[in-house]
Amino acid sequence: MNLPHLHSPAVLDEFKKFILKGNVVSLSTGVIIGSAFNNIVTAFTKGIVEPILAIFGGSNLGTSNWKFQIWEKMTKVTEKVNGTEVTTEKMVPVLLDVGAIVGAVIGFLITAAIVFFIIVKPTNKLLDLVITKDTPPAAMPPDVALLTEIRDMMKRQEEAAGRPTA
């Protein structure tokens, strides 16, 4: 089997084209920006959104007011009592943590809104302005161009004959 050398100019050119493609750059930019927004969104959710939601349901999203028991199971628990380990069986609740889910959904919506309104929307607007200014109008297909020329010629003939045009 004959494999190309990794340091050959053709392979390096192909790799360069791959790296410089717009979607690769956009994806990497999105990952970097997303990770940078993570701390901001977490702080906003914990510092502002959770206290507002706590008005309606308790002290914070992570408290027991936002957790619901869905099951109980028997579990062995090891505890230290007077320096010795004692293993006992206890009924332990299995909890559904709605607060964590609500917090994650709110964090996602905040991140999506920030990315959309601060990055995507302005970029699309800028691209629309650049594309409309720099892009020449699309050339008409030959049959449409011919029909347009015939129509214009007929209008000129009617105007020259003194007939009103529609």
Side-chain angles (χ1 to χ4, degrees):
M1 180 150 82
N2 190 9
L3 293 175
H5 295 288
L6 292 178
H7 60 276
S8 73
V11 172
L12 293 177
D13 285 341
E14 188 177 353
F15 180 70
K16 185 172 143 185
K17 286 178 187 174
F18 168 74
I19 290 298
L20 295 177
K21 279 186 180 177
N23 49 359
V24 173
V25 173
S26 296
L27 179 62
S28 61
T29 303
V31 168
I32 292 167
I33 289 173
S35 64
F37 276 132
N38 184 35
N39 291 336
I40 295 170
V41 171
T42 301
F44 182 80
T45 303
K46 295 236 180 263
I48 295 174
V49 175
E50 283 185 5
I52 291 171
L53 290 175
I55 293 170
F56 302 105
S59 57
N60 273 329
L61 291 176
T63 64
S64 60
N65 292 339
W66 288 79
K67 293 180 183 178
F68 301 98
Q69 181 175 333
I70 58 172
W71 194 261
E72 271 189 335
K73 67 177 185 175
M74 187 66 77
T75 302
K76 290 184 180 182
V77 177
T78 303
E79 299 174 315
K80 284 195 172 189
V81 178
N82 296 330
T84 59
E85 288 187 359
V86 178
T87 302
T88 58
E89 288 191 357
K90 289 185 178 178
M91 290 298 282
V92 177
V94 177
L95 301 174
L96 179 67
D97 192 356
V98 176
I101 296 167
V102 170
V105 168
I106 290 170
F108 170 77
L109 292 174
I110 291 169
T111 303
I114 289 171
V115 169
F116 180 75
F117 289 109
I118 294 178
I119 297 170
V120 174
K121 199 80 165 133
T123 302
N124 288 344
K125 184 78 167 174
L126 184 64
L127 286 175
D128 286 344
L129 291 173
V130 169
I131 289 172
T132 55
K133 286 183 180 177
D134 294 343
T135 307
M140 285 191 264
D143 55 345
V144 174
L146 179 61
L147 291 171
T148 304
E149 189 177 326
I150 292 170
R151 181 200 65 201
D152 293 343
M153 186 176 64
M154 290 175 70
K155 276 186 180 180
R156 284 192 301 271
Q157 286 175 349
E158 287 179 1
E159 287 172 359
R163 289 184 240 154
T165 58

